[in-house]
Amino acid sequence: MATIRIDQQEYTVRDGDNLLQTCLSLGLDLPYFCWHPAMGSIGACRQCAVLQYQNEEDQRGRLVMGCMTPVSDGAIFSLQGDKAQRFRKTIVESLMLNHPHDCPVCAEGGECHLQDMTVMTGHRDRSYRGRKNTHRNQYLGPLIHHEMNRCITCYRCTRYYRDYAGGTDLAAMAAHDHIYFGRHEDGVLESEFAGNLVEVCPTGVFTDRQLVHQYTRKWDLQSAPSVCTACAVGCNIVVGERYGKVKRVHNRFNAEVNGYFLCDRGRFGAGFVNLESRLEFPALRRPDGRYDALDHHRALEHALRAMEAEKVAAVGSPRASVEANHLLRLLVGNARFYPGWSRGEQGAAIRAMELLRDTEATVPDLAQIETADAVLILGEDVTNTSPRVALSLRQAVRNRARDMAGELRLLPWQDAAIRNLAQDTRNPLHIAAVSNTRLDDVAASHTCLAPPDIARLGAAVLEELLPGEGQHFGDPTVDALAQQIARDLRQAKRPLIIAGAGYGNTTIMEMAAELAAALCHGGCEAMLSLCQGEANSMGLALLTGTGGARVHRLEDMIVQGDIDTLLVLENDVERRCSRRGFKLLRKHVKTLITLDSLDTATTSLSDLVLPTASFAESEGTLVNHAGRAQRYFPAFPPANERRPAWFWLLALAHERGIEATSRLHQFDEITRHCAASIPALAGITEAAPRSQFRAHGLRVPRQTHRYSGRTAMRAALSVHEPKQPQDEETPLAFSMEGSQRDTPGALLPYFWSPGWNSNQSLHRYQKAVGEPLRGGTAGSRLLYRQGHATLERAAMPGAFEPRENQWYLVPRHAIFGSDELSALSPPLRELTHPAWLEITPAAAQALQVIDGDGLIIENERLRGYRLEVRINPSLVAGCAAYSAGHAGTFGLLPGEWVTLQKDPDWQRREPAVIASDRGGVA
Amino acid sequence: MLKSLRSQLTTLWTILSHTFTRAETVQYPEQKPYLAPRYRGRIVLTRDPDGDERCVACNLCAVACPVDCIALQQDVREDGRWYPEFFRINFSRCILCGMCEEACPTNAIQLTPDFEMCEYDRNNMVYEKEHLLIDGPGKYPDYNFYRVSGLAISGKDKGEAQRELPPIDVKSLLP
């Protein structure tokens, strides 16, 4: 700790921080632009100038940049000093020389860091009489809107995009006052994390392209704390709503999970909530196949009548909340509840849960992943299955640079110096996958192997770590690599092994767990992370446990006519079973009842459809891939007859007279019941405060204190204003009344502080800059070092042997397209490719196909699969990789052997038209 | 006693003397009082000198409104101009304070001297954009936001706004 003096006031502060960081942590207003808590200081914008005095006698002081000045004991500073204030005012004026006069038509206005800083420094009138520089904008894809005139050249965008996120196609171009931040030509930004530019850019150069249409200012959004449902990482988000539409998704800081950044799938993937195909009313199928809309009383009557049948079963969902799945299981009984995974997914999800539960290694959150100093990824394409993990891994490999800096006593925030020092020196990251991945550029090694061989590589590394029965891979290059990997892992203090359910291969995950256990025995703090498929895969695995009903039993029962009524909860069964199974479902099940928010293949087969509220309109608990339970809250009440899934199920359970549910009425009670009855989920009640929670006797307001238009929004329907909707289920209010002071981290609906309208106001909610939220970190860990040492040496898995004229199917995930709901979001749909099959150039030559041709995929089980060919030179010979989760590949199973032949009737696809081709306004 | 008698008489005299002064009351609505041109009455949305909607749907009027009686939704037209998809003022709530006019960065929203808005049905006090939009520029005949602002719209490219240089050629090496 150091004692410093700022404007005659003494403060005790942390040694080694920079002055800007210190001032912000102390709650003092010091303007800045280029500094970012996650990216450190470079001193580019000169905005955070303060006066530093040599000693007590020094009356003049000298100007220093706050972000480049370490605080040390006895230092004397002045923020209010005349010279410093004048300097900062002049700097803002010069940064604004070329700023266009367009705040009213700027999507950043009202939450603009430049606006805030201009007001803070007191600059008002420009004295410069010259003419302003202008720039042409670029088309940067359907996600990001570019308006280069607004740039103040702080370099945050390129520092984030290139240095932090590892992108290559956004750069500072030209020189002096011609400087331009963009791509070398128009085109879609390549990085999967480009959306963060919206929040990183202190002004309106990069804005949310979707929000530029039907725009709503930050102060007009009704927001709620939520959790991203696009993958199993569970990043914390803020969902903003206006006029019944989700307008945008912003990052909600969680020091343990997503920190300051989201991936593009999460940020732009919530558009499905606004789709026309959302279900609004319960619907009953008529004999002619058309549907009648019902009110919810009659819908419940019909559902109850169907459930009086003798054989009732239910299908849960890994994308529905823990509570909804729990109620569904209570409703039909444990034996007749099927979790709703496909055959391959179920084994992988349950096994991953078991491995993480029983491991001795640490199961890391993203923040812990960022502290790793050696990483081995065994058979998981993290950028495409759990994208945010990839961004954390890019930070983990940079830890070597920080260690090097530590040796030279450089401070961790001296970003430019550390990058110069380290250059390309990184911590080792070893990747084994079926083809190239997006992390290869920072990897120490990258090997392409078939999934069974990836497990063998794991076994070979294990052999090097714990020499035993001489289980070698057999290939000298791979064995040398295994040695190298083992050496790197052994030398590391915090090695991290990542595997996952991506290839549907449980042996790889088991190998990863054994490696982590072996490293733990070696005495280091090893970490094991297993990527999962969907938002609540882990929660469902914990709920059903090891002994849950198997999904192939369900298909058998359907065929045997053993099910009269089947309830399907938020699950599109078409994605989960074979094509034949899906046909049989309709044929053999007498009554099919589906609860879902969107019109899917399953709802259009159902006899009765109950419309559920989406994640943005309901509450629920999700458990992420590391076993962290997190609660999402509704941003707006569901319209029409939409109800949260738990609400429908609770009503059904009450009517059915299910004993266990008779005393459950509110959402919180369901959560508590679930926690009490399932020991593995006991911690979910800690995920967020109960609905009775009040801060200073008040609810947490979802609306900002300047929420506008309350007396005119609904005036077109009736001039009589209705009462604000009441929220009995959560501690949040659909109103601007209430207190945001001392709000727990799990309940923060937006970030705002006087004078700080932009998201930079976050530091006012943190204990200190970059540290956890003052109200506590959201979520509760369900798995945390419960494991015990079990070192079992599994047998060496069998080697992969390519077959003549047969191909081994491997799933290939895509960040945009593999996740069911986010792929429906309009901006992401533009970036999603139709289903494809990747083959090697050799295979393409043998089959006489080129890119864009069609292939027929067949074996004794599969018939009639036709997919577009993509040639991937990095793919392992003998494998064919299909696009997982895309319409057209449902029913394909990983690890199947198939024959391929050219489709003579294939129509080649026309090149897709993107917005820039249509001559849209850039 | 004397004092109070005097007070009574003064009162009577004052009242009676007013019998012979001119009445302040006017026979409204036959007789209309003088209203200054800047009197704050019914709100209108004006057009720029080129005849296009001035409102860019920036939401500043809505946020400035103390009774929250303005609601609107922005969208972008084909030509790149921002415009309100709907613009609604609930005059049954409006207090004619003029804060919206002060907040408006494009001089679109203006208060007029007309205050005669009486309806039997309160619902008729809700004005939509088609009721608010007038055909002229109102009090500011010359101002055109898009001629000043740096945003490019069709018919006005980058570099053609007030005090702007033509767009920079990034690929040029010249200083």
Side-chain angles (χ1 to χ4, degrees):
Chain A
M1 300 306 266
T3 306
I4 58 166
R5 205 191 302 162
I6 303 174
D7 290 320
Q8 279 81 52
Q9 178 100 30
E10 287 213 340
Y11 299 96
T12 311
V13 298
R14 198 167 52 190
D15 224 349
D17 278 359
N18 64 54
L19 181 65
L20 171 62
Q21 210 175 335
T22 306
C23 286
L24 296 175
S25 298
L26 291 171
L28 304 172
D29 285 344
L30 182 57
Y32 63 89
F33 289 112
C34 66
W35 173 82
H36 188 286
M39 293 188 280
S41 317
I42 52 163
C45 71
R46 320 312 282 170
Q47 187 58 63
C48 57
V50 294
L51 282 174
Q52 180 170 18
Y53 299 95
Q54 295 290 84
N55 46 42
E56 297 286 346
E57 284 78 54
D58 184 3
Q59 293 301 310
R60 281 184 58 191
R62 63 194 167 94
L63 280 173
V64 293
M65 294 308 132
C67 70
M68 298 302 282
T69 309
V71 293
S72 52
D73 208 20
I76 308 171
F77 300 102
S78 167
L79 309 189
Q80 307 299 334
D82 256 4
K83 232 188 299 179
Q85 281 198 341
R86 213 168 36 242
F87 183 84
R88 294 200 296 260
K89 196 169 165 180
T90 325
I91 289 292
V92 159
E93 188 171 351
S94 64
L95 290 177
M96 298 260 287
L97 276 190
N98 297 311
H99 202 69
H101 181 90
D102 69 349
C103 291
V105 288
C106 173
E108 191 85 358
E111 54 175 325
C112 176
H113 189 57
L114 179 60
Q115 279 178 344
D116 290 348
M117 297 301 104
T118 310
V119 173
M120 193 177 283
T121 49
H123 165 64
R124 209 189 77 128
D125 297 313
R126 55 158 28 90
S127 345
Y128 178 64
R129 293 283 157 228
R131 298 208 285 163
K132 296 176 192 172
N133 280 345
T134 59
H135 295 276
R136 295 227 173 267
N137 301 332
Q138 282 182 331
Y139 173 77
L140 298 178
L143 308 179
I144 306 283
H145 178 85
H146 191 225
E147 185 67 45
M148 184 55 207
N149 277 358
R150 296 171 186 152
C151 182
I152 56 164
T153 64
C154 71
Y155 280 78
R156 257 193 189 187
C157 54
T158 51
R159 288 178 62 217
Y160 165 73
Y161 195 87
R162 301 181 75 90
D163 300 348
Y164 194 89
T168 51
D169 59 329
L170 183 87
M173 283 177 254
H176 58 94
D177 64 342
H178 287 183
I179 197 151
Y180 189 90
F181 294 87
R183 299 184 81 240
H184 66 292
E185 60 179 16
D186 279 12
V188 182
L189 283 173
E190 285 164 7
S191 171
E192 295 82 4
F193 309 100
N196 292 312
L197 290 173
V198 174
E199 288 187 64
V200 165
C201 177
T203 173
V205 178
F206 300 100
T207 48
D208 184 338
R209 198 178 177 88
Q210 295 308 305
L211 191 61
V212 170
H213 288 267
Q214 298 280 313
Y215 175 69
T216 301
R217 300 248 176 241
K218 179 182 180 181
W219 63 66
D220 277 344
L221 291 171
Q222 175 168 277
S223 311
S226 192
V227 177
C228 180
T229 57
C231 80
V233 176
C235 294
N236 290 199
I237 54 172
V238 167
V239 176
E241 172 267 359
R242 178 87 176 172
Y243 301 126
K245 297 258 188 274
V246 168
K247 293 287 182 178
R248 72 164 190 200
V249 165
H250 255 213
N251 181 60
R252 179 162 64 97
F253 181 83
N254 184 323
E256 295 294 321
V257 190
N258 45 313
Y260 292 86
F261 305 111
L262 295 178
C263 74
D264 287 359
R265 187 199 270 186
R267 184 180 295 273
F268 302 104
F272 69 88
V273 177
N274 303 337
L275 286 183
E276 293 280 311
S277 57
R278 281 291 303 278
L279 305 169
E280 287 179 296
F281 293 96
L284 185 69
R285 191 189 178 91
R286 294 198 306 224
D288 65 356
R290 302 176 70 164
Y291 284 88
D292 287 328
L294 309 173
D295 65 13
H296 69 274
H297 297 292
R298 288 201 41 220
L300 283 175
E301 274 169 29
H302 280 282
L304 283 170
R305 207 168 309 140
M307 288 185 70
E308 275 160 16
E310 203 180 319
K311 301 162 194 159
V312 183
V315 176
S317 168
R319 67 168 156 94
S321 66
V322 171
E323 287 84 359
N325 278 306
H326 176 62
L327 277 179
L328 186 66
R329 194 165 72 151
L330 289 179
L331 190 62
V332 296
N334 200 2
R336 287 183 160 260
F337 172 79
Y338 298 90
W341 283 298
S342 72
R343 199 173 289 214
E345 289 166 341
Q346 181 157 11
I350 301 281
R351 193 78 191 108
M353 181 273 288
E354 290 168 347
L355 291 171
L356 292 183
R357 185 189 59 196
D358 299 335
T359 184
E360 193 192 1
T362 305
V363 179
D365 278 316
L366 293 188
Q368 286 167 297
I369 286 181
E370 288 182 13
T371 64
D373 48 4
V375 186
L376 169 63
I377 304 179
L378 275 181
E380 182 76 13
D381 185 1
V382 273
T383 315
N384 287 312
T385 55
S386 303
R388 184 60 184 78
V389 175
L391 190 59
S392 292
L393 287 174
R394 285 189 182 275
Q395 311 320 310
V397 295
R398 284 204 61 230
N399 286 335
R400 173 68 59 82
R402 286 182 203 113
D403 294 345
M404 291 165 74
E407 284 160 24
L408 291 180
R409 289 199 289 166
L410 283 173
L411 293 164
W413 43 264
Q414 285 166 333
D415 190 54
I418 295 176
R419 278 182 202 282
N420 263 332
L421 171 69
Q423 300 292 336
D424 281 342
T425 320
R426 297 188 192 94
N427 275 330
L429 164 65
H430 297 282
I431 303 176
V434 292
S435 73
N436 50 3
T437 71
R438 293 279 287 157
L439 280 172
D440 294 352
D441 58 324
V442 288
S445 81
H446 173 257
T447 336
C448 292
L449 296 170
D453 280 347
I454 294 173
R456 281 165 56 79
L457 172 67
V461 176
L462 190 62
E463 175 64 33
E464 298 294 335
L465 287 175
L466 290 176
E469 295 140 35
Q471 293 182 333
H472 291 292
F473 191 89
D475 181 332
T477 32
V478 181
D479 276 324
L481 177 69
Q483 273 176 16
Q484 176 63 42
I485 295 172
R487 199 160 46 236
D488 284 339
L489 292 176
R490 212 181 296 118
Q491 280 168 2
K493 289 194 199 77
R494 299 173 56 77
L496 166 66
I497 315 288
I498 294 186
Y503 293 155
N505 187 321
T506 48
T507 324
I508 299 178
M509 291 196 286
E510 283 157 9
M511 278 302 162
E514 280 181 38
L515 278 174
L519 288 167
C520 277
H521 269 255
C524 61
E525 207 183 322
M527 296 185 276
L528 171 68
S529 183
L530 300 178
C531 297
Q532 292 259 26
E534 281 159 274
N536 200 23
S537 291
M538 188 57 130
L540 193 56
L542 289 168
L543 181 84
T544 55
T546 313
R550 292 277 158 173
V551 72
H552 48 87
R553 267 292 290 144
L554 177 69
E555 274 187 40
D556 294 347
M557 283 168 71
I558 290 173
V559 176
Q560 289 158 14
D562 222 6
I563 294 174
D564 294 330
T565 300
L566 185 66
L567 264 93
V568 179
L569 167 68
E570 299 191 334
N571 203 340
D572 185 4
V573 183
E574 191 194 18
R575 301 172 70 89
R576 314 280 182 179
C577 60
S578 60
R579 285 185 179 177
R580 186 171 151 268
F582 191 61
K583 277 192 198 117
L584 292 174
L585 177 73
R586 186 55 268 175
K587 209 164 129 197
H588 291 277
V589 173
K590 287 201 192 89
T591 319
L592 181 63
I593 304 176
T594 307
L595 294 89
D596 212 335
S597 57
L598 279 155
D599 196 6
T600 63
T602 309
T603 56
S604 35
L605 280 186
S606 305
D607 299 288
L608 180 67
V609 183
L610 304 176
T612 59
S614 68
F615 79 103
E617 304 150 304
S618 64
E619 48 280 302
T621 309
L622 303 174
V623 184
N624 83 349
H625 69 127
R628 172 182 282 272
Q630 304 186 102
R631 186 83 35 85
Y632 58 89
F633 292 100
F636 58 111
N640 300 324
E641 293 278 354
R642 288 175 196 149
R643 297 285 182 275
W646 66 263
F647 186 94
W648 285 116
L649 293 168
L650 189 63
L652 280 174
H654 281 166
E655 296 293 329
R656 294 277 296 161
I658 307 283
E659 183 60 34
T661 63
S662 60
R663 304 177 81 180
L664 306 182
H665 299 283
Q666 286 201 306
F667 174 78
D668 270 351
E669 291 164 354
I670 305 171
T671 311
R672 279 205 294 280
H673 185 268
C674 182
S677 48
I678 300 156
L681 291 171
I684 59 169
T685 47
E686 305 302 314
R690 305 152 46 142
S691 61
Q692 287 89 351
F693 172 86
R694 298 289 179 273
H696 304 283
L698 295 165
R699 286 173 177 267
V700 181
R702 285 184 174 89
Q703 298 169 357
T704 66
H705 66 293
R706 264 320 316 160
Y707 191 77
S708 80
R710 285 175 309 123
T711 65
M713 287 169 79
R714 294 178 206 85
L717 304 170
S718 163
V719 77
H720 304 285
E721 287 138 31
K723 191 178 162 189
Q724 288 293 95
Q726 299 299 300
D727 190 348
E728 301 298 333
E729 311 298 340
T730 77
L732 295 115
F734 293 109
S735 135
M736 57 215 276
E737 291 164 29
S739 161
Q740 258 241 52
R741 214 147 44 96
D742 307 325
T743 305
L747 296 179
L748 276 174
Y750 54 86
F751 296 103
W752 179 87
S753 178
W756 299 81
N757 297 302
S758 75
N759 57 2
Q760 309 291 321
S761 55
L762 173 64
H763 66 79
R764 292 290 161 102
Y765 291 80
Q766 293 171 322
K767 286 178 184 144
V769 165
E771 287 186 12
L773 295 172
R774 230 175 265 162
T777 302
S780 73
R781 289 290 305 253
L782 304 182
L783 309 166
Y784 199 71
R785 293 270 190 128
Q786 298 164 329
H788 37 80
T790 45
L791 255 188
E792 288 170 33
R793 287 296 293 270
M796 188 76 169
F800 173 73
E801 277 160 21
R803 294 186 193 170
E804 192 82 8
N805 293 329
Q806 279 199 321
W807 280 266
Y808 184 87
L809 279 186
V810 189
R812 185 124 156 95
H813 293 262
I815 179 167
F816 307 130
S818 288
D819 175 61
E820 181 184 355
L821 296 181
S822 66
L824 297 169
S825 175
L828 298 192
R829 214 156 23 178
E830 202 169 313
L831 296 170
T832 302
H833 299 280
W836 71 85
L837 188 78
E838 277 176 15
I839 52 174
T840 56
Q845 208 171 11
L847 294 162
Q848 298 195 320
V849 288
I850 54 167
D851 255 327
D853 278 350
L855 276 177
I856 302 177
I857 302 155
E858 279 183 342
N859 67 8
E860 61 279 2
R861 196 179 69 84
L862 306 170
R863 283 279 169 274
Y865 280 88
R866 292 180 157 75
L867 291 177
E868 185 178 312
V869 175
R870 269 201 205 176
I871 294 169
N872 182 351
S874 68
L875 191 69
V876 187
C879 289
Y882 65 92
S883 55
H886 289 61
T889 63
F890 303 152
L892 295 181
L893 286 179
E896 268 187 307
W897 288 94
V898 292
T899 57
L900 302 176
Q901 72 185 81
K902 187 173 178 175
D903 184 353
D905 306 327
W906 184 261
Q907 295 281 323
R908 286 178 71 89
R909 202 157 43 88
E910 295 290 313
V913 179
I914 54 172
S916 66
D917 298 335
R918 292 195 292 260
V921 179
Chain B
M1 176 73 189
L2 266 176
K3 214 174 177 183
S4 54
L5 187 68
R6 186 165 160 252
S7 162
Q8 296 280 339
L9 290 173
T10 322
T11 310
L12 282 172
W13 173 247
T14 316
I15 301 282
L16 286 171
S17 65
H18 274 286
T19 319
F20 305 101
T21 56
R22 244 187 80 225
E24 285 294 331
T25 317
V26 293
Q27 292 301 311
Y28 180 81
E30 287 77 27
Q31 264 180 299
K32 308 249 173 174
Y34 168 75
L35 289 180
R38 283 177 178 270
Y39 187 86
R40 298 194 310 257
R42 180 172 57 88
I43 299 169
V44 294
L45 288 175
T46 59
R47 292 177 186 274
D48 63 27
D50 302 337
D52 249 323
E53 265 178 78
R54 259 183 183 154
C55 177
V56 297
C58 70
N59 277 288
L60 287 181
C61 51
V63 75
C65 179
V67 289
D68 286 343
C69 74
I70 306 179
L72 66 151
Q73 174 61 63
Q74 175 270 8
D75 210 338
V76 186
R77 245 167 43 181
E78 280 288 297
D79 60 3
R81 293 171 70 113
W82 282 32
Y83 77 104
E85 190 187 39
F86 69 83
F87 194 107
R88 185 180 305 133
I89 299 181
N90 179 358
F91 277 109
S92 73
R93 286 284 187 187
C94 179
I95 55 171
L96 305 175
C97 65
M99 304 274 259
C100 49
E101 183 175 12
E102 271 181 50
C104 183
T106 66
N107 290 336
I109 196 164
Q110 295 179 13
L111 274 70
T112 63
D114 174 27
F115 59 90
E116 294 164 314
M117 293 187 289
C118 301
E119 299 286 350
Y120 287 106
D121 184 358
R122 258 182 77 196
N123 282 313
N124 295 341
M125 296 291 275
V126 179
Y127 280 41
E128 297 288 341
K129 192 166 89 174
E130 63 262 34
H131 310 125
L132 295 166
L133 199 61
I134 63 165
D135 278 339
K139 296 173 211 172
Y140 309 94
D142 302 326
Y143 187 72
N144 187 338
F145 172 74
Y146 282 108
R147 301 274 153 221
V148 183
S149 149
L151 193 81
I153 54 168
S154 76
K156 192 216 76 179
D157 200 6
K158 292 274 175 217
E160 291 176 7
Q162 243 176 43
R163 267 198 244 133
E164 276 190 347
L165 289 164
I168 287 168
D169 177 8
V170 183
K171 290 177 181 154
S172 158
L173 291 174
L174 296 173

